[in-house]
Structures are given as structure tokens and as C-alpha cells.
């Protein structure tokens, strides 16, 4: 099985695990389903390992598809010898495959092609044989037709030789190897753009040189962005003399006139064909690695953001702060439904502090508010200070919530469908409140790229980024589970095996027939067949169901096992749930079968002990230093509370309650070497930072993590 050997050649996993995982993937099983409910077949692989198998499966399929295209093209050109066919079939990557195809590509009119049409290929062959001694007299025979002089004849022959050299796989691989090990990337500013305002953020790269193999991903992406915007020029270089010597050593084996012509052809091939093509390839490979790194950072951040601490089902008053246009206020019930909205004007130019405070107080009282969510954008600190001056009748927790992407949501089709009769400002405030109640349920409605936790997300391969982020969202949604009776279409669409169309059908069925009372009822949803039910049912939860397992991660296919366990010890299923003492006495080995082994049975026991346990931490109240309002209030040595709002390869950014976020460089995260910032901080973590330096003109703040 070629695909199996290909994948095992790239990842260190047992053959049986890979083989069984491939079978499950070919049966249209999803990654969350396989990792959670098919542990016996996969050998307990997690979603990351299964994701790697998927990645190399797709790579193999793309390679095979390209082989078919190339074999067909070679067949049509009538150049497909058995040896070439074998080489194409044996190619293990796209680079070597394209090298094999290079001599047969139908390209535009090249210098070599023109020389061939002028009858100069025999002369090129004579030169390459390196046996001719009186080359000039031989060359004169080819001065005819389109060849005006002997110099033209030799030049044309050299163009053909240069093309042959360019097409040699061994030579291409040798230069690739040199580029891989020794390539330097250098930049020079475009003088006419040097003084432009937008160029200043790239001034570090106006005259820069670094090893291509060692350049950090964020720096390479910054350089490429600066080049794209026209501020700098980028060059990839190696030692040209060394590269030429290596080519000459492979080709020249005489010391005559032929060798002189070949030497000239080598220089031409290197400068005109090999170096431009292969240095671009090397830069593209470096860019792909940088993309991979940046996408990985984005994926980690997104996962942490989606799994952020939920407040849970509590009544929330949410405020989207503003100055001139006022603060939009909404009141939500415990399920996030909009009950009331209004605008208050506590800040300049109206300065209606008293009226605003009275209104918030009366709304909190009327709607029995348990928590207040304030967006962290413009006028956030001023609004927070105002709220903290109000003496509420009950204890109300106050939270500052990230607004990133809220404006994208409020103008989206999803928001218009949810709130057709309200404007964008109301929708934005609702989103802020719902983010506090359940970040995951609300953030899945927004294009992940707009949430603002990435690093150069607009510069990386957009298709790869989208795929990675969708995978993160899917894994997070299924790790938490979804209440089928309250979930939005957006949230339902990420459930294993469901997708947008079935999500809409579930939503409409719930609308028409009322809440689902059991998992069995899910199969009544139009077009939701056995496969979709198998893949998704265990991730869909039903609160207060007759069968308590319907509100757990136990798969319906395992209900009979739980029933047997309860029966064997003379208890009901209800009395098993949340009863660790009783569960401790169950001998799991008695319930092992061909399809259910100890991994699944242990998962069932964990679930019975704490059914539907939310893997996320509870939301915690946080307060910024009330004396810090702008960057001008910062002083070196200050200790401040902050919230991590972005993590990159070079450190993390921290919100200390002002417009500008401060940077903790990786070197300031710990006294020891930091390989990955994620090992020291996580997104939305509440931390204490020390101010190291403040650059007011450039609006840059350097911080250190205070232990």
C-alpha cells in the first residue's frame, strides 16, 4: 500500500495505527470522532497525530494527481520511455517530480529553442563531447540561414548547452543543497520610498543581511511584506565561485576549446537559469516554513481564545463604549437573548455622568443583572471607572471583554439573521455580552482571521491558514460539546459530521418542533442519516433529558455497556452518575469486547464521574491599575496587572489598560532560555508585568513578566 509507506516514511507512528486511521478517514469519519471514539482502532492517537496523518494523506494524493498529469503529457509528446515512466512513478516529492518533467515542459520560445531551429543542436553535441580540436572550422559549417556569424553559432550552441545543464537533476540538487546550507538573504531600501511614512515601520530592514536558514519566521514575513509594499528589494545569494566550480567539476573533463565554450555556457546557465529559479525556490521554501510557523502560532492562540473562561448562564448587561456616539447598552438573559437596549452618554461631549449611572443602576435592578461586560475599545477605561462608581443593590461582577472582531460580526449575514430589526451597534454590544457568557459559542460566528490573535496572518498562505483555523475551531467545539437546544447554526455547523446544511436543518427542526428531548430524536432531522448521527450525536448534549447519558460525552453506541454495568451492580444509571465510590467497584475488564477496549471504558468512567464537565476554567474578575490611563502615565520599574492578548514567536503582547499593548520579549519571559512563549503564558492570562522601557514617539512599551 503506497500511501501507507509514504505516511510512515514521514511520521513516527505504528503501522497498524496509521492503517486503521486511514480506513476510518476513508469511511468519512471526522478527526474529533476518531480521536475520541475509535481509540482501540487507532492505538489511542490524539487529534494532533490524526491531523498529521490527514496532512500527509493529502500530500500523497496531490503527488499522485500530479504524476498522472505529467505521465499523460509525456505520453502525448511520445517521449515516455519505460525508464522515465519508472522514475516518475518513483518520485517521492513534487520537487523531484517537476525536475523530471522540466526538459519536456512546453515553454515559451527560449534562446535554446531558437538555436535548435537554426540547426545548432549538432554543434552543441560536438562541444559537449569535448573531443573536437579544431572547433572554429567545425563552427563555420553552421554559419547559414539564421546564423550570421561564427560567434552567433557558438552563442546559440551555448544556449542549448546551458539549457541541458539547467535540466540536470544532479546539478539542480547540488545548488539546492548550497542554498539550503549557505544562502544569505539581504535587503536594500528603495531610495525613492525611504522617507515615506509607511516605510518607517520597516526601517530595520533598509540594509539587512542574515542566513536564510536561520531567519526567524516573523522577520522573514516582515521582510517579504516590506518588499511587496515596494519599500525594499530582496536578494538571495550564495558563493557564486564555489557554485560554478562544483558545476564545472561535474561537466568539464578536457582542456581544449570545447572546455572554454562549456565554461561560458555554465556561467550563462547559472546566472540566467539556475540561480534565479532555485533561489526563488529556496525563498519559497523558507516562506512556506515561515507560514507554517505563523499559522501554528495563530492556531495555538485561537485555541486558547476559543477555550477562554466562560461566565456561564448568567444574566449580563453589556456595554459597547464610545465617546461622541455614546455607549450602547444591552441587557441579556442567561441564554444570551436580547431583552433591552439603550444608549447612554456619560463621556464628552455630553458628559451625562449622573443620568448614565442612574440608567445602568435601574437596568441592572430591573433585569436582575449578575455581571457587566464592557468592551475593551475606545472609552473602555472611562466606562469601567464610571461603572465602578455605581452602588448596585446586589453584588455585580464587572468584566472587560475583548472587542476584537465584534464589528465584523455585527455587519455579517449571521448577525443580520439573528437581529434583523437592530443596527450594528446593538449587535456589537450583544456580541460583547455573549462573549462573556460563552466565548466559544460567540466567536465561532466570526471569521477566525478577524479575531486579531495572529502574527502576519494576511501574509501567509490563506488556504492553509483557513484550513488550520477551521480544524482548531472544530476540535475546540467538539472538545467542549454543544447544547443542541440553545446552539446557534454557526456553532452546530462545527459539530463532528454536521456541517452548515445539517446545522440549518437542526435549527429549523428545533424551531418547528420545539427542543429535542433525547438524542434519539436527532435522527428525525431531515437528511441527518446514520453516518452523521454516528459522527455527531455524542458531541450534542441535551440538558435535563430522560436518559442522563444524553447530557454526557458517552456515545449512544456505548449506552448498552453502561446499562449492563448498572444492572450488574443492581443500580440505576442515575445512581452511577457522579458517584465515584460506586464507579470504583466496577471491573472494566469484564466489559471489554472486540470493539470496546479499556481506553473507551476509562473515558466512559470519567464521564460518569463528572458528566458534561466543561474543560474550560471559570471566568475571573480582573481590574487594571486605575491610575494608568495613557502611555504617558507609564514609568520604568512600575509593576502593573495585565492580560495577555496575543502570543507570537518572539514574545507576547499584554494589555495594561491603555490603547497600546506592551511587548514581553521572549528573553523577558524567564531567566532561562525560552523556546516557546506558550510554555510560559497563555492567552487572556492575568499576569503582573514590570515596565522596562517606554518609547512614547514610537508608542512602544517593553515589559518583563514578574514572577
Amino acid at each position: 500500500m503506497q500511501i501507507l509507506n509514504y505516511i510512515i516514511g514521514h511520521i513516527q507512528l505504528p503501522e497498524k495505527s496509521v492503517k486503521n486511521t486511514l480506513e476510518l478517514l476513508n469511511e468519512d469519519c471526522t478527526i474529533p470522532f476518531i480521536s475520541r471514539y475509535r481509540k482501540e482502532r487507532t492505538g489511542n492517537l490524539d487529534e494532533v497525530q490524526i491531523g498529521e496523518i490527514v496532512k500527509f494523506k493529502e500530500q500523497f494524493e496531490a503527488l499522485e494527481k500530479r504524476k498522472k498529469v505529467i505521465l499523460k503529457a509525456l505520453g502525448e509528446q511520445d517521449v515516455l520511455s519505460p525508464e522515465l515512466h519508472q522514475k516518475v512513478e518513483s518520485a517521492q516529492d513534487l520537487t523531484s517530480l517537476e525536475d523530471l518533467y522540466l526538459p519536456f515542459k512546453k515553454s515559451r520560445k527560449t534562446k535554446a529553442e531558437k538555436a535548435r531551429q537554426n540547426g545548432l543542436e549538432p554543434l552543441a553535441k560536438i562541444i559537449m563531447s569535448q573531443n573536437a580540436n579544431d572547433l572554429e572550422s567545425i563552427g563555420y559549417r553552421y554559419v547559414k540561414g539564421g546564423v550570421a556569424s561564427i560567434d552567433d553559432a557558438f552563442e546559440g550552441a551555448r544556449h542549448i548547452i546551458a539549457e541541458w545543464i539547467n535540466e540536470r537533476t544532479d546539478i539542480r540538487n547540488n545548488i539546492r543543497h548550497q542554498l539550503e546550507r549557505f544562502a544569505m538573504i539581504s535587503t536594500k531600501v528603495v531610495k525613492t520610498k525611504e522617507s515615506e511614512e509607511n516605510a518607517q515601520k520597516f526601517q530595520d530592514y533598509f540594509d539587512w543581511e542574515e542566513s536564510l536558514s536561520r531567519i526567524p519566521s516573523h522577520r522573514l514575513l516582515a521582510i517579504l511584506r516590506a518588499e511587496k509594499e515596494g519599500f525594499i528589494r530582496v536578494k538571495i545569494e550564495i558563493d557564486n565561485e564555489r557554485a560554478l566550480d562544483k558545476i564545472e567539476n561535474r561537466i568539464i573533463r578536457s582542456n581544449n576549446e570545447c572546455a572554454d565554450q562549456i565554461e561560458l555556457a555554465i556561467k550563462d546557465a547559472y546566472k540566467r537559469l539556475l540561480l534565479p529559479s532555485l533561489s526563488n525556490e529556496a525563498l519559497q521554501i523558507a516562506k512556506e516554513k515561515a507560514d507554517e510557523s505563523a499559522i501554528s502560532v495563530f492556531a495555538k492562540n485561537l485555541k486558547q481564545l476559543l477555550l477562554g473562561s466562560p461566565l456561564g448562564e448568567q444574566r449580563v448587561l453589556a456595554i459597547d463604549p464610545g465617546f461622541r456616539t455614546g455607549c450602547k447598552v444591552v441587557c441579556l438573559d442567561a441564554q444570551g437573548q436580547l431583552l433591552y437596549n439603550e444608549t447612554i452618554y456619560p463621556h464628552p461631549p455630553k458628559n451625562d455622568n449622573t443620568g448614565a449611572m442612574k440608567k445602568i443602576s435601574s437596568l441592572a435592578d430591573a433585569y436582575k443583572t449578575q455581571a457587566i461586560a464592557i468592551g475593551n475599545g475606545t472609552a473602555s477605561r472611562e466606562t469601567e471607572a464610571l461603572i465602578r462608581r455605581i452602588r448596585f443593590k446586589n453584588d455585580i461582577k464587572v468584566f472587560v471583554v475583548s472587542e476584537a472582531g465584534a464589528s465584523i460580526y455585527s455587519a455579517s449575514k449571521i448577525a443580520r439573521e439573528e437581529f434583523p430589526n437592530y443596527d450594528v451597534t446593538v449587535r456589537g454590544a450583544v456580541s460583547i455580552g455573549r462573549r462573556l457568557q460563552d466565548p466559544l459559542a460567540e466567536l465561532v460566528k466570526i471569521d477566525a482571521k478577524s479575531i486579531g490573535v495572529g502574527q502576519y496572518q494576511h501574509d501567509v498562505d490563506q488556504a492553509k491558514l483557513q484550513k488550520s483555523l477551521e480544524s482548531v475551531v472544530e476540535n475546540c467545539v467538539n472538545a467542549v460539546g454543544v447544547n443542541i437546544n440553545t446552539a446557534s447554526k454557526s456553532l452546530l455547523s462545527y459539530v463532528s459530521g454536521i456541517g452548515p446544511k445539517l446545522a440549518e436543518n437542526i435549527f429549523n427542526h428545533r424551531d418547528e418542533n420545539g427542543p429535542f428531548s433525547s438524542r434519539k430524536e436527532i435522527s428525525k432531522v431531515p437528511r441527518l442519516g446514520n453516518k452523521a448521527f454516528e459522527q455527531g450525536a455524542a458531541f450534542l448534549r441535551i440538558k435535563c433529558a430522560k436518559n442522563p447519558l444524553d447530557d454526557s460525552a458517552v456515545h449512544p453506541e456505548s449506552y448498552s455497556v453502561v446499562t449492563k454495568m448498572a444492572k450488574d451492580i443492581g443500580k440505576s444509571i442515575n445512581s452511577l452518575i457522579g458517584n465515584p465510590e460506586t464507579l470504583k467497584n466496577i471491573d472494566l475488564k469484564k466489559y471489554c469486547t472486540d470493539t470496546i477496549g479499556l481506553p473507551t471504558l476509562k473515558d466512559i468512567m470519567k464521564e460518569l464521574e463528572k458528566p458534561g464537565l466543561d474543560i474550560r476554567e471559570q471566568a475571573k474578575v480582573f481590574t487594571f491599575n486605575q491610575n494608568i490611563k495613557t502611555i504617558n502615565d507609564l514609568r520604568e520599574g512600575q509593576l502593573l496587572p495585565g492580560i495577555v492578548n496575543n502570543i507570537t514567536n518572539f514574545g507576547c503582547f499584554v494589555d495594561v489598560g491603555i490603547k497600546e499593548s506592551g511587548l514581553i520579549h521572549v528573553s523577558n519571559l524567564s531567566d532561562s532560555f525560552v523556546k516557546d512563549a506558550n510554555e510560559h503564558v497563555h492567552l487572556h492570562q492575568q499576569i503582573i508585568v514590570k515596565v522596562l522601557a517606554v518609547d512614547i514617539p514610537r508608542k512602544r512599551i517593553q515589559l518583563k513578566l514578574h514572577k
Side-chain angles (χ1 to χ4, degrees):
M1 196 177 178
Q2 278 183 301
I3 188 168
L4 185 61
N5 294 333
Y6 180 86
I7 294 170
I8 290 167
H10 286 87
I11 48 180
Q12 301 300 309
L13 291 174
E15 184 177 328
K16 187 181 176 185
S17 295
V18 176
K19 183 172 178 289
N20 288 345
T21 302
L22 283 172
E23 286 172 4
L24 288 163
L25 291 167
N26 290 332
E27 291 165 15
D28 292 329
C29 294
T30 67
I31 293 176
F33 174 79
I34 296 169
S35 63
R36 183 81 167 95
Y37 298 109
R38 290 296 178 263
K39 290 182 175 179
E40 284 76 14
R41 282 185 70 181
T42 68
N44 216 357
L45 298 185
D46 61 28
E47 67 262 21
V48 175
Q49 292 167 314
I50 296 165
E52 284 292 288
I53 292 172
V54 170
K55 182 176 95 174
F56 288 112
K57 175 179 183 282
E58 288 170 353
Q59 265 187 28
F60 177 82
E61 287 164 351
L63 183 64
E64 290 302 296
K65 189 177 176 184
R66 184 64 181 146
K67 281 179 185 178
K68 283 179 184 170
V69 170
I70 287 173
L71 287 170
K72 186 183 176 193
L74 294 172
E76 286 169 356
Q77 290 179 48
D78 203 22
V79 291
L80 190 58
S81 64
E83 184 190 3
L84 183 56
H85 192 287
Q86 175 59 32
K87 281 182 179 176
V88 169
E89 287 287 14
S90 303
Q92 288 296 299
D93 57 75
L94 284 169
T95 302
S96 54
L97 185 61
E98 295 299 340
D99 275 357
L100 288 168
Y101 185 42
L102 185 63
F104 308 101
K105 268 186 177 173
K106 290 177 180 172
S107 54
R108 66 188 186 282
K109 285 279 182 188
T110 62
K111 290 181 176 182
E113 189 57 37
K114 189 181 174 188
R116 283 191 189 92
Q117 287 170 1
N118 285 329
L120 294 172
E121 189 161 24
L123 177 59
K125 285 179 178 175
I126 290 167
I127 294 169
M128 280 301 281
S129 72
Q130 303 185 43
N131 293 324
N133 289 319
D134 189 6
L135 197 55
E136 194 165 331
S137 62
I138 295 170
Y140 272 117
R141 295 181 213 156
Y142 295 91
V143 179
K144 56 188 174 183
V147 183
S149 67
I150 191 163
D151 286 343
D152 286 349
F154 284 138
E155 186 182 19
R158 290 198 303 271
H159 286 151
I160 294 170
I161 293 167
E163 191 175 85
W164 289 339
I165 293 166
N166 180 52
E167 290 167 354
R168 274 185 54 168
T169 303
D170 61 329
I171 289 170
R172 294 178 74 81
N173 283 339
N174 186 272
I175 294 174
R176 278 191 184 106
H177 179 67
Q178 290 179 66
L179 283 161
E180 193 181 318
R181 292 188 63 195
F182 309 116
M184 300 297 290
I185 180 168
S186 61
T187 64
K188 283 278 183 284
V189 69
V190 175
K191 289 293 181 187
T192 55
K193 302 268 191 130
E194 189 172 6
S195 56
E196 287 187 20
E197 189 183 336
N198 289 338
Q200 300 318 302
K201 60 187 171 188
F202 301 114
Q203 63 181 344
D204 289 347
Y205 310 119
F206 284 178
D207 186 10
W208 186 269
E209 187 177 67
E210 187 170 2
S211 163
L212 185 63
S213 64
R214 292 199 184 97
I215 188 168
S217 63
H218 60 272
R219 194 177 295 146
L220 177 61
L221 291 171
I223 284 171
L224 293 177
R225 183 191 287 180
E227 182 192 36
K228 189 178 178 183
E229 292 182 15
F231 300 124
I232 62 172
R233 290 193 178 89
V234 175
K235 230 180 182 181
I236 304 295
E237 294 174 297
I238 50 175
D239 184 335
N240 292 334
E241 290 305 314
R242 176 193 172 102
L244 287 166
D245 283 347
K246 286 192 173 288
I247 300 172
E248 287 171 11
N249 290 339
R250 284 174 180 270
I251 294 174
I252 298 174
R253 56 177 193 278
S254 63
N255 190 19
N256 55 18
E257 295 169 71
C258 294
D260 297 337
Q261 291 295 327
I262 293 171
E263 191 178 336
L264 289 170
I266 287 170
K267 284 177 180 168
D268 177 44
Y270 177 74
K271 187 180 176 184
R272 183 169 57 87
L273 302 171
L274 286 163
L275 189 62
S277 162
L278 296 177
S279 61
N280 279 341
E281 183 187 283
L283 184 58
Q284 187 55 39
I285 289 167
K287 164 78 163 60
E288 283 170 11
K289 285 179 183 170
D291 281 4
E292 211 169 282
S293 178
I295 289 169
S296 170
V297 167
F298 201 138
K300 282 178 187 172
N301 283 353
L302 180 63
K303 181 177 180 180
Q304 291 175 29
L305 189 65
L306 293 175
L307 295 180
S309 307
L311 182 67
E313 294 188 353
Q314 293 191 32
R315 294 179 295 282
V316 170
L317 184 149
I319 306 173
D320 186 356
F323 286 115
R324 188 179 52 80
T325 55
C327 300
K328 186 59 70 176
V329 179
V330 297
C331 297
L332 308 177
D333 69 13
Q335 284 71 46
Q337 296 304 309
L338 176 60
L339 303 174
Y340 181 82
N341 79 93
E342 186 165 328
T343 305
I344 57 173
Y345 297 90
H347 310 309
K350 293 197 176 178
N351 291 313
D352 184 16
N353 267 342
T354 308
M357 288 168 72
K358 277 184 183 172
K359 175 54 70 177
I360 294 290
S361 181
S362 65
L363 287 176
D365 193 30
Y367 291 98
K368 297 182 171 54
T369 296
Q370 295 166 283
I372 292 176
I374 303 167
N376 70 341
T378 305
S380 174
R381 294 301 303 281
E382 292 81 356
T383 305
E384 183 191 358
L386 179 92
I387 296 301
R388 293 193 185 280
R389 284 165 54 195
I390 301 171
R391 292 186 178 178
F392 295 105
K393 289 181 183 175
N394 301 312
D395 181 28
I396 296 177
K397 299 177 286 257
V398 179
F399 297 85
V400 175
V401 178
S402 169
E403 285 183 13
S407 58
I408 303 286
Y409 160 76
S410 58
S412 69
K413 182 173 180 277
I414 295 169
R416 289 196 300 275
E417 284 176 0
E418 285 191 307
F419 301 104
N421 302 319
Y422 295 94
D423 67 18
V424 291
T425 59
V426 176
R427 295 172 195 158
V430 171
S431 183
I432 288 165
R434 286 178 171 178
R435 284 182 190 205
L436 176 61
Q437 291 174 321
D438 190 341
L440 178 61
E442 193 59 22
L443 291 171
V444 293
K445 299 174 187 173
I446 303 167
D447 177 8
K449 287 187 295 237
S450 305
I451 297 176
V453 289
Q455 178 190 353
Y456 297 103
Q457 60 260 40
H458 302 295
D459 300 297
V460 302
D461 184 309
Q462 295 300 294
K464 284 182 182 173
L465 175 64
Q466 191 66 29
K467 193 167 187 183
S468 171
L469 299 185
E470 281 177 1
S471 171
V472 169
V473 177
E474 183 185 40
N475 286 335
C476 289
V477 168
N478 290 288
V480 171
V482 170
N483 181 341
I484 193 172
N485 288 322
T486 59
S488 65
K489 281 185 259 189
S490 304
L491 191 58
L492 287 166
S493 70
Y494 283 104
V495 173
S496 165
I498 300 300
K501 188 63 198 156
L502 283 179
E504 195 169 337
N505 291 357
I506 290 171
F507 192 85
N508 294 340
H509 186 275
R510 188 176 80 196
D511 222 25
E512 291 161 17
N513 304 287
F516 292 88
S517 59
S518 72
R519 275 179 173 161
K520 211 175 272 184
E521 273 184 40
I522 299 170
S523 56
K524 292 179 183 173
V525 172
R527 300 181 182 237
L528 198 151
N530 293 338
K531 191 70 188 178
F533 183 84
E534 176 199 56
Q535 298 295 299
F539 300 106
L540 294 165
R541 309 287 156 75
I542 295 165
K543 304 287 175 191
C544 308
K546 189 178 176 184
N547 185 340
L549 297 178
D550 284 353
D551 188 22
S552 76
V554 177
H555 198 287
E557 67 189 8
S558 298
Y559 283 10
S560 57
V561 180
V562 180
T563 304
K564 189 168 188 326
M565 286 176 180
K567 189 180 175 186
D568 288 351
I569 58 171
K571 301 262 187 187
S572 67
I573 291 174
N574 271 319
S575 62
L576 283 187
I577 288 176
N579 192 340
E581 288 304 312
T582 304
L583 294 168
K584 200 165 59 179
N585 297 323
I586 296 173
D587 180 8
L588 296 183
K589 287 174 188 167
K590 278 172 61 180
Y591 302 97
C592 289
T593 67
D594 292 343
T595 52
I596 295 183
L598 283 175
T600 296
L601 291 167
K602 283 176 182 173
D603 282 348
I604 290 170
M605 297 307 276
K606 271 187 207 165
E607 198 58 28
L608 292 175
E609 199 171 317
K610 292 180 179 176
L613 176 71
D614 198 321
I615 59 171
R616 300 170 291 179
E617 293 176 3
Q618 278 294 303
K620 295 175 192 166
V621 173
F622 175 85
T623 308
F624 289 115
N625 184 319
Q626 297 302 301
N627 298 317
I628 306 298
K629 301 287 197 305
T630 72
I631 193 169
N632 298 307
D633 299 325
L634 296 178
R635 300 287 179 272
E636 284 183 27
Q638 280 174 327
L639 294 180
L640 301 172
I643 296 176
V644 178
N645 62 4
N646 202 355
I647 300 174
T648 71
N649 280 334
F650 52 84
C652 71
F653 289 94
V654 180
D655 181 358
V656 291
I658 60 176
K659 186 180 177 184
E660 300 80 13
S661 290
L663 171 67
I664 306 179
H665 188 267
V666 281
S667 59
N668 292 317
L669 278 170
S670 171
D671 293 332
S672 55
F673 176 73
V674 175
K675 186 180 177 186
D676 182 358
N678 284 281
E679 292 172 2
H680 295 264
V681 289
H682 59 263
L683 214 58
H684 285 189
Q685 184 179 349
Q686 299 173 7
I687 58 175
I688 301 294
V689 295
K690 183 179 182 180
V691 179
L692 295 181
V694 184
D695 182 344
I696 292 174
R698 295 176 79 184
K699 296 185 176 176
R700 289 186 177 179
I701 306 158
Q702 287 182 49
L703 305 170
K704 181 181 175 74
L705 182 63
H706 185 70
K707 300 291 186 185

